[in-house]
Amino acid sequence: MHTKKRLWRWRSNPLRRRDDVLEAWLVLAVWALIAVGGTLAGAVTARAADDVFAQERAERTHVRAVLLVDTPHAASNSYRVVAKVRWTALDGVVHTEKTPVGAGKKAGTEIEVWTDAQDELTTAPPSRDAAAVEAGLLGAAAALTASGVAFGVGGLARWRLDRRRVDQWDREWDLIGPQWGHKTG
């Protein structure tokens, strides 16, 4: 009996309108898009993000650099300042550039920096765990976005169907209403 209630829009019924069947198919399509499209968008986005992070880990290398200037002291050990460093690339070329370093360090201190394939300074690549978390969050955001778009478009289409039904009822009432007369008790 419960199944019949859920599938009432597809049952034969003299009061069923074409718009009711259209709305039933629309709702089914929207939920299918949310389930399949949202899942697919999330999975594809998470996979793509994970591939990008893996490529960053493969292309970036850490090298030892020497701090060329003293950095000012700060109240917090996590405070970072921009200072000039020098490092030798794997091909033997010496590079000098500015990068964020910890506060309170003396000139000549060895620090670790990350370089890309062109031996330019860059940020450290995310660890495997951090990349997995970020890829998962990006995938979830993509799934929610795709689902939200499908839900919004479906809601707009249902609103249009409702407006069309109301307009149709108004036209029918304009035809039938005068036949009933205005008899009140």
Side-chain angles (χ1 to χ4, degrees), residues 3 22 34 52 62 68 77 118 123 139 141 150 158 164 182-183:
T3 304
L22 184 60
I34 287 172
V52 168
H62 67 278
L68 298 179
N77 288 342
Q118 291 78 32
T123 58
R158 287 185 71 195
R164 195 161 81 178
H182 295 286
K183 299 175 186 171

Side-chain angles (χ1 to χ4, degrees), residues 14-99:
L15 299 178
R16 182 184 70 183
R17 297 162 297 199
R18 189 172 126 283
D19 286 353
D20 295 331
V21 175
L22 184 60
E23 182 179 23
W25 284 108
L26 177 68
V27 168
L28 182 65
V30 165
W31 284 110
L33 277 173
I34 287 172
V36 175
T39 301
L40 188 62
V44 167
T45 301
R47 176 62 186 219
D50 197 45
D51 289 347
V52 168
F53 297 141
Q55 183 178 354
E56 285 180 1
R57 282 192 301 276
E59 290 176 351
R60 296 180 183 181
T61 56
H62 67 278
V63 295
R64 305 298 283 163
V66 176
L67 188 60
L68 298 179
V69 295
D70 292 344
T71 59
H73 289 281
S76 169
N77 288 342
S78 63
Y79 186 72
R80 304 193 46 92
V81 296
V82 176
K84 209 175 234 188
V85 296
R86 181 182 60 234
W87 74 96
T88 304
L90 297 176
D91 60 3
V93 177
V94 176
H95 296 271
T96 304
E97 202 170 320
K98 290 184 177 182
T99 188

Side-chain angles (χ1 to χ4, degrees), residues 1-17:
M1 177 103 170
H2 195 282
T3 304
K4 284 185 178 182
K5 284 183 181 178
R6 272 191 261 157
L7 299 176
W8 72 269
R9 292 178 196 264
W10 280 282
R11 287 194 337 241
S12 179
N13 182 337
L15 299 178
R16 182 184 70 183
R17 297 162 297 199

Side-chain angles (χ1 to χ4, degrees), residues 84-128:
K84 209 175 234 188
V85 296
R86 181 182 60 234
W87 74 96
T88 304
L90 297 176
D91 60 3
V93 177
V94 176
H95 296 271
T96 304
E97 202 170 320
K98 290 184 177 182
T99 188
V101 296
K105 300 208 182 271
K106 297 281 183 196
T109 303
E110 278 196 6
I111 60 170
E112 191 173 272
V113 294
W114 287 86
T115 59
D116 59 17
Q118 291 78 32
D119 288 324
E120 298 290 326
L121 288 180
T122 187
T123 58
S127 68
R128 287 189 194 280

